[in-house]
Amino acid sequence: MNNCHRVYLSLGTNLGDREENMHRALQLLNLRVGKLERVSRMIETEPWGFQSENKFLNACCRICTALSPIQLLKATQKIERSLGRTEKSKNGIYHDRLIDIDILYYDDLTMNTPQLTIPHPHIREREFVTVPLREIMEDASHPSDKKE
């Protein structure tokens, strides 16, 4: 692919057939976003930021895409909706979800807009992200992580 931007995404699901949700999301990412280069193993985790009886399956993937960051955001949101996701949160509170796709890194880009922040601001707080991410990243850091 000519314009290959290396992107790392986090995926999570805690409703329905979680493994099927994850596989369908990965298939759609490969079809609509770009070539899947690496996928971590799936790990089971407790909900983060809210209470639920339903445990999550989480994974990370690396994709080579020609999409811009905003195009990527729109594509991942469209995939979430096509898999049954209706909203990110209720009144700012996280809740159970069929699928959640977060953009973690986009090349070495750093951006902070009302629509999108890259790198994702909560990476370090979430083991359900850091564990699978380390599995697929050569260098598990981003230039913005390095404090002078």
Side-chain angles (χ1 to χ4, degrees):
M1 185 180 288
N2 286 349
N3 233 351
C4 178
H5 297 284
R6 184 151 287 149
V7 175
Y8 289 88
L9 304 175
S10 172
L11 295 87
T13 172
N14 78 331
L15 291 177
D17 184 336
R18 299 173 307 159
E19 282 191 39
E20 180 62 21
N21 295 344
M22 197 72 80
H23 289 301
R24 287 180 60 213
L26 289 166
Q27 286 174 328
L28 290 171
L29 286 166
N30 198 47
L31 284 170
R32 298 181 187 175
V33 171
K35 182 181 184 298
L36 269 177
E37 295 182 326
R38 291 186 174 183
V39 179
S40 72
R41 65 190 165 88
M42 292 181 210
I43 61 170
E44 190 172 61
T45 62
E46 295 293 330
W48 185 91
F50 72 103
Q51 298 291 318
S52 175
E53 298 294 315
N54 305 313
K55 290 190 178 185
F56 274 83
L57 270 189
N58 294 97
C60 287
C61 66
R62 184 177 82 193
I63 295 179
C64 175
T65 186
L67 300 178
S68 72
I70 297 301
Q71 289 170 327
L72 174 63
L73 176 64
K74 289 179 180 175
T76 58
Q77 289 172 337
K78 189 173 182 182
I79 290 168
E80 288 175 338
R81 285 191 304 274
S82 73
L83 294 175
R85 177 99 187 248
T86 55
E87 55 193 350
K88 280 281 193 190
S89 60
K90 291 180 182 167
N91 301 320
I93 307 296
Y94 294 119
H95 56 88
D96 293 326
R97 61 208 65 163
L98 286 163
I99 193 70
D100 184 35
I101 304 170
D102 287 335
I103 301 168
L104 302 175
Y105 295 117
Y106 183 102
D107 290 335
D108 292 337
L109 179 71
T110 299
M111 71 183 279
N112 190 347
T113 69
Q115 210 175 359
L116 180 61
T117 301
I118 298 174
H120 192 288
H122 300 295
I123 292 172
R124 284 210 171 88
E125 302 164 29
R126 300 172 170 181
E127 270 192 32
F128 65 84
V129 172
T130 59
V131 170
L133 185 60
R134 272 195 300 267
E135 207 177 285
I136 62 168
M137 274 187 103
E138 291 90 14
D139 174 18
S141 66
H142 184 271
S144 69
D145 294 341
K146 296 175 175 73
K147 304 285 186 245
E148 299 289 323

